[in-house]
Amino acid sequence: MTAATTHLPKEARYCADTFNGAVAAAALSAAWDIGLLDELADRDAVDVPEFTARTRTHPEAVRRILVALSSRRIVVVDAGPNLARRGPGFDEAFRTRGFFYWLTRGCGELFTDLTTLVRTDERADRQMRRDSRAISVACRSIARNFFDPPLRDLLDGIDYTTVADLGCGSGDRIIMLAERQPAIRAIGVDIAPGALTVAGEAVRDANLTDRITLLRDDVLNMSPRPEYADAELVTCFLMGHDFWPRDNCVKTLQKLRETFPNGRNLLLGDTCRSVGVEGPDLPMFTLGFETVHAIMDQYLPTLDEWYSVIDESGWRLADQRLIELPAFSFIFHLTPA
Ligand SMILES: C[S@@+](CC[C@H](N)C(=O)[O-])C[C@H]1O[C@@H](n2cnc3c(N)ncnc32)[C@H](O)[C@@H]1O
């Protein structure tokens, strides 16, 4: 091969970019895990030999990670590479790192197994394996960057002393909600042990074990229990699509009123199925989100379908925020009808 291979015809360039993008997506997640992304964010330059010696990481593998990131202009590297700096694409990649992590670490096994999972006869025996720890870490970053700013805005108009967060994942939101006032008590509910482990560590690190209780429960099958009785605010983020299909969603929303008899406010935030965008126009995340849920046979409602269940479920839309990234996302502020 000669240097001429760098001047590829347009179609071949698309193809090479697709390949390089797949490598760079995995590299971005690994770079975040080993602390390299944060160092790039905080410093003018990262000295690769110094970084790999200090973090006990494999020098050549870290160099390849940086080269993969440089192929998408996320970093700029020297010839070694022994020095790496932020590239023009760094800030956006850093802001959206949770999407990459969700895809490669959280859902990687689904894609490795995709051939089996698309064959009707073979998929029946296969477990749909996702990494709940990685998904909770990814969602923490996605939520902090994209859902928490509009959420804080809505919270300013809501008084509460006890809050329950359903599908609490990493526990980040329940900590944020508890930290708003020293008198607040909070309950985080999740079904996945991996998520509850991450949440437990976060609650301990925040010194909030006296005010935050973590419970393993199935949000789709909840019954009243003493811990739930006092919650005036119920929040549920990035799992509302699990309530669907429609009849189940209506029942789950109705049941929340019985499970939380004092629940005067429900804040529900999620990403919907896209409408009217296709092919090269698909935005960040949408393609991965919809593909993964199709593989898992999990229905994703559109925004209009969400609107259509509110009244029927005994709730009223008091306020809302529509979110641009992830595209087709919302936060509803619901109150009992
Ligand atoms: C995509 S993550 C979102 C985590 C968190 N709410 C956030 O915003 O970062 C969805 C979470 O819902 C939990 N979950 C899914 N189905 C559930 C169910 N039926 N009952 C309780 N938790 C559930 C998952 O284990 C996971 O932690």
Side-chain angles (χ1 to χ4, degrees), residues 139 167-169 173 190-192 195 217-220 237-239 242:
C139 288
C168 67
R173 181 162 307 94
D190 207 288
I191 200 167
D217 201 353
D218 181 355
V219 171
L220 307 182
F237 280 79
L238 309 183
M239 76 149 287
D242 290 320

Side-chain angles (χ1 to χ4, degrees), residues 25 58-59 69 78 88 103 109 142 150 161 171 218 277 319 324:
H58 188 277
L69 297 180
D78 69 357
L103 182 73
E109 220 178 310
I142 294 169
T161 50
D218 181 355
V277 278
D319 204 350
E324 281 181 14

Side-chain angles (χ1 to χ4, degrees), residues 38-53:
D38 288 285
E39 293 212 6
L40 284 160
D42 292 344
R43 299 175 182 197
D44 285 342
V46 170
D47 177 321
V48 180
E50 187 280 326
F51 175 85
T52 55

Side-chain angles (χ1 to χ4, degrees), residues 216-266:
R216 187 161 186 217
D217 201 353
D218 181 355
V219 171
L220 307 182
N221 252 314
M222 291 180 108
S223 305
R225 49 197 275 184
E227 294 93 329
Y228 299 151
D230 295 333
E232 302 116 335
L233 171 63
V234 179
T235 57
C236 182
F237 280 79
L238 309 183
M239 76 149 287
H241 52 277
D242 290 320
F243 295 2
W244 288 72
R246 193 176 197 287
D247 287 353
N248 288 4
C249 181
V250 170
K251 278 189 206 126
T252 304
L253 287 173
Q254 282 170 341
K255 210 155 174 217
L256 288 184
R257 297 222 18 209
E258 291 163 28
T259 308
F260 298 96
N262 281 310
R264 293 196 296 270
N265 297 285
L266 169 61

Side-chain angles (χ1 to χ4, degrees), residues 23-276:
V23 180
L28 191 74
S29 298
W32 185 18
D33 264 338
I34 63 175
L36 184 54
L37 272 195
D38 288 285
E39 293 212 6
L40 284 160
D42 292 344
R43 299 175 182 197
D44 285 342
V46 170
D47 177 321
V48 180
E50 187 280 326
F51 175 85
T52 55
R54 175 165 44 83
T55 57
R56 298 178 54 79
T57 46
H58 188 277
E60 220 26 60
V62 170
R63 286 194 172 92
R64 290 296 110 195
I65 283 175
L66 286 165
V67 171
L69 297 180
S70 74
S71 77
R72 309 307 302 149
R73 298 186 174 82
I74 294 167
V75 298
V76 178
V77 291
D78 69 357
N82 286 317
L83 212 59
R85 299 175 196 278
R86 294 184 294 276
F90 184 86
D91 289 349
E92 189 59 11
F94 192 69
R95 194 170 80 100
T96 57
R97 63 197 183 285
F99 297 125
F100 291 91
Y101 202 83
W102 176 90
L103 182 73
T104 59
R105 300 296 311 263
C107 305
E109 220 178 310
L110 281 189
F111 285 100
T112 311
D113 214 16
L114 190 53
T115 310
T116 311
L117 296 174
V118 295
R119 289 196 167 120
T120 315
D121 294 342
E122 292 176 35
R123 63 178 274 133
D125 307 328
R126 258 325 207 266
Q127 258 200 326
M128 303 280 169
R129 280 230 285 269
R130 296 205 295 167
D131 179 336
S132 62
R133 187 207 67 85
I135 287 182
S136 66
V137 170
C139 288
R140 173 169 59 199
S141 172
I142 294 169
R144 275 186 190 171
N145 283 318
F146 304 106
F147 283 84
D148 283 2
L151 168 62
R152 285 176 204 278
D153 194 29
L154 285 170
L155 282 170
D156 283 342
I158 298 175
D159 279 333
Y160 63 97
T161 50
T162 305
V163 51
D165 186 36
L166 312 182
C168 67
S170 68
D172 203 46
R173 181 162 307 94
I174 203 74
I175 291 170
M176 183 270 268
L177 291 164
E179 280 179 337
R180 285 174 74 85
Q181 299 264 343
I184 290 173
R185 306 194 75 77
I187 305 150
V189 180
D190 207 288
I191 200 167
L196 287 168
T197 304
V198 177
E201 284 162 11
V203 170
R204 273 193 298 283
D205 289 350
N207 287 322
L208 285 169
T209 46
D210 55 333
R211 292 203 280 131
I212 296 183
T213 307
L214 296 173
L215 293 175
R216 187 161 186 217
D217 201 353
D218 181 355
V219 171
L220 307 182
N221 252 314
M222 291 180 108
S223 305
R225 49 197 275 184
E227 294 93 329
Y228 299 151
D230 295 333
E232 302 116 335
L233 171 63
V234 179
T235 57
C236 182
F237 280 79
L238 309 183
M239 76 149 287
H241 52 277
D242 290 320
F243 295 2
W244 288 72
R246 193 176 197 287
D247 287 353
N248 288 4
C249 181
V250 170
K251 278 189 206 126
T252 304
L253 287 173
Q254 282 170 341
K255 210 155 174 217
L256 288 184
R257 297 222 18 209
E258 291 163 28
T259 308
F260 298 96
N262 281 310
R264 293 196 296 270
N265 297 285
L266 169 61
L267 292 172
L268 183 68
D270 205 4
T271 297
C272 306
R273 180 152 51 91
S274 62
V275 180

